[in-house]
Amino acid sequence: MGAATTGERLIADAEVLVRENPELAVATAIAVAVVLGSAYAFLRIRRARGVEFRRLIDEREEIAVLMHPNPDPDSMAAAVGVVELADQLDVDATIQYPGQIRHQENRAFRTVLELNLDRIDHVTDLAAESVVLVDHNEPRGFAGSEGILPLAVIDHHPGDGSGEEFTDVRTDYGSTATIVAEYFEDNDATPVPPDKHASETEGTYTLSTLAATGLLYGILSDTKHLTVGASEADFAAASYLYPGVDQDRLDRIANPAVDAEVLEVKARAIAGRQVEGSFGVADVGAVNNVDAIPQAADELIQLEGVTAVVVIGERDDTIHLSGRSRDDRVHMGKAIEECLSAIDGGNGGGHARMGGGRVEPETTPTDDTTAEAVDRDELTERLFRAMTGDV
């Protein structure tokens, strides 16, 4: 009774205040209208991105969907989503990538979802003039890549690249798959449950079980199962995708057999690590499977007392670096970028929690300089200084 009386008294007082100060009511109404109008405008802008992208590719007869070198589940998932939308618009779309797919998780993703992926080595291998970049914003990893002006860029990594007609880079998102999932939601596409056919669902656009499963796994993979770097949008996208997910396929992707070399590289990283304070660096030497390097970094960051790590490995005269951080003092992407910026052929970057880089061999007609010329001990020391902010 007391609470109700208090509430009634507050309402009565408010009514008196408005009667005695009508200008206050007008100001309040205007403020509410502005807030609601801004929120509505924001939603229209956000929703317009998915609709805008659909309309853009609908104007093409064919597109090449280009993933970054050695694509991971997020990259493959985003590409699958773009192709899914293109297919429903009767646009020919080909998923292409440079490099290799050797990580057991990546190979399982490709096999379980029955993906058709086309490997390329040269710009002339591209399937179409209209190129859509997913999960990276600057073409790289194959001859002639520097000459490509992509039609569109969809990414969640920081960078300077952009598309000729469409650029959607959201660095506050945990995955590119989230952005692509939103495109389907923006176009009112219905996820198709694994026990149904697309013809059994209503709506102009649908999202197949295979694509929904891939997009969800892409989100889970890049956010460590929605525990690291996940945004509200990632959770919302996962909820949207869930009705269309095939849980059996999802489990098969998440639990593939582990390659023996991966276990060996992890062991070398743990046994050979150098630790200064809470930072660690491990040089695992030559590897056949470069995807073992980031997996070793994932393993090393789990060690008690270690808050930031970088693993160094080498394949075909190229030095590869992969770093992980759970230390708010260490922005791993910037640390690796700063470390490699002064090394010829070196480049790197990434997010606060995850970063990577490489040192490419430089050769000239008169000088056969290779990545072996890089002093690995000096590189290790530079990494330690970069993690402490002393580069």
Side-chain angles (χ1 to χ4, degrees):
M1 180 69 70
T5 302
T6 300
E8 291 170 356
R9 186 167 61 252
L10 289 173
I11 292 174
D13 291 344
E15 290 175 345
V16 171
L17 181 64
V18 169
R19 283 198 302 270
E20 295 179 353
N21 301 275
E23 70 283 359
L24 180 62
V26 173
T28 301
I30 292 174
V32 170
V34 169
V35 171
L36 292 177
S38 298
Y40 178 69
F42 173 77
L43 290 175
R44 282 178 57 87
I45 291 172
R46 204 214 78 174
R47 289 186 61 83
R49 299 304 284 160
V51 175
E52 180 185 351
F53 181 70
R54 170 178 58 80
R55 291 172 176 168
L56 175 69
I57 62 174
D58 194 22
E59 296 173 352
R60 269 69 191 173
E61 293 185 358
E62 59 181 4
I63 59 173
V65 185
L66 184 60
M67 302 183 291
H68 58 66
N70 312 315
D72 58 8
D74 185 37
S75 184
M76 289 188 281
V80 168
V82 171
V83 170
E84 172 87 0
L85 186 57
D87 286 345
Q88 295 182 52
L89 299 171
D90 293 325
V91 175
D92 290 334
T94 304
I95 302 177
Q96 299 186 291
Y97 69 98
Q100 298 180 321
I101 299 178
R102 299 195 60 173
H103 188 301
Q104 67 270 6
E105 179 189 43
N106 301 346
R107 288 187 285 119
F109 189 98
R110 178 179 189 172
T111 301
V112 172
L113 296 183
E114 304 170 9
L115 305 184
N116 292 317
L117 310 178
D118 181 18
R119 184 176 180 276
I120 65 172
D121 296 308
H122 193 274
V123 64
T124 56
D125 297 330
L126 289 172
E129 291 185 3
S130 297
V131 177
V132 177
L133 297 190
V134 293
D135 205 32
H136 65 311
N137 52 66
E138 293 182 272
R140 64 180 189 272
F142 57 96
S145 60
E146 66 282 355
I148 294 176
L149 178 59
L151 171 72
V153 168
I154 307 169
D155 192 16
H156 76 120
H157 297 97
D160 299 325
S162 61
E164 183 177 18
E165 297 190 29
F166 183 90
T167 303
D168 193 357
V169 178
R170 310 184 196 182
T171 57
D172 56 328
Y173 278 35
S175 73
T176 303
T178 296
I179 302 172
V180 176
E182 283 190 1
Y183 289 175
F184 282 90
E185 190 172 13
D186 292 347
N187 285 286
D188 299 318
T190 303
V192 180
D195 59 346
K196 290 188 178 181
H197 187 269
S199 61
E200 300 178 77
T201 60
E202 297 181 356
T204 304
Y205 303 105
T206 60
L207 180 60
S208 72
T209 293
L210 290 180
T213 302
L215 286 168
L216 178 60
Y217 194 81
I219 296 171
L220 296 176
S221 176
D222 254 31
T223 61
K224 289 191 179 295
H225 298 278
L226 295 172
T227 63
V228 178
S231 66
E232 181 179 351
D234 298 304
F235 281 91
S239 177
Y240 164 71
L241 295 167
Y242 183 77
V245 171
D246 185 325
Q247 296 191 29
D248 176 65
R249 291 180 188 264
L250 194 68
D251 179 68
R252 288 163 56 195
I253 297 170
N255 297 287
V258 180
D259 185 274
E261 185 187 14
V262 172
L263 296 178
E264 179 186 340
V265 171
K266 288 182 178 181
R268 291 186 344 227
I270 295 171
R273 69 189 184 279
Q274 298 182 47
V275 177
E276 293 186 6
S278 62
F279 305 150
V281 177
D283 191 334
V284 296
V287 299
N288 292 315
N289 182 358
V290 294
D291 287 322
I293 298 172
Q295 291 183 74
D298 288 334
E299 198 73 29
L300 210 55
I301 194 64
Q302 302 300 321
L303 293 177
E304 185 176 1
V306 174
T307 61
V309 301
V310 179
V311 176
I312 307 168
E314 180 183 343
R315 184 175 187 275
D316 294 336
D317 293 332
T318 296
I319 295 175
H320 299 265
L321 291 82
S322 184
R324 300 290 184 268
S325 171
R326 48 190 177 90
D327 191 321
D328 290 336
R329 299 169 299 173
V330 182
H331 187 295
M332 185 53 68
K334 290 181 179 178
I336 293 180
E337 180 181 13
E338 291 172 359
C339 175
L340 298 182
S341 63
I343 298 177
D344 291 340
N347 66 84
H351 296 290
R353 300 299 191 193
M354 180 184 303
R358 62 176 64 190
V359 182
E360 301 279 1
E362 292 194 347
T363 59
T364 66
T366 58
D367 182 9
D368 292 330
T369 303
T370 70
E372 293 178 351
V374 175
D375 188 319
R376 303 281 269 270
D377 291 335
E378 181 181 342
L379 176 58
T380 297
E381 288 304 315
R382 286 185 61 84
L383 286 168
F384 276 122
R385 293 201 302 271
M387 285 189 279
T388 58
D390 188 28
V391 171

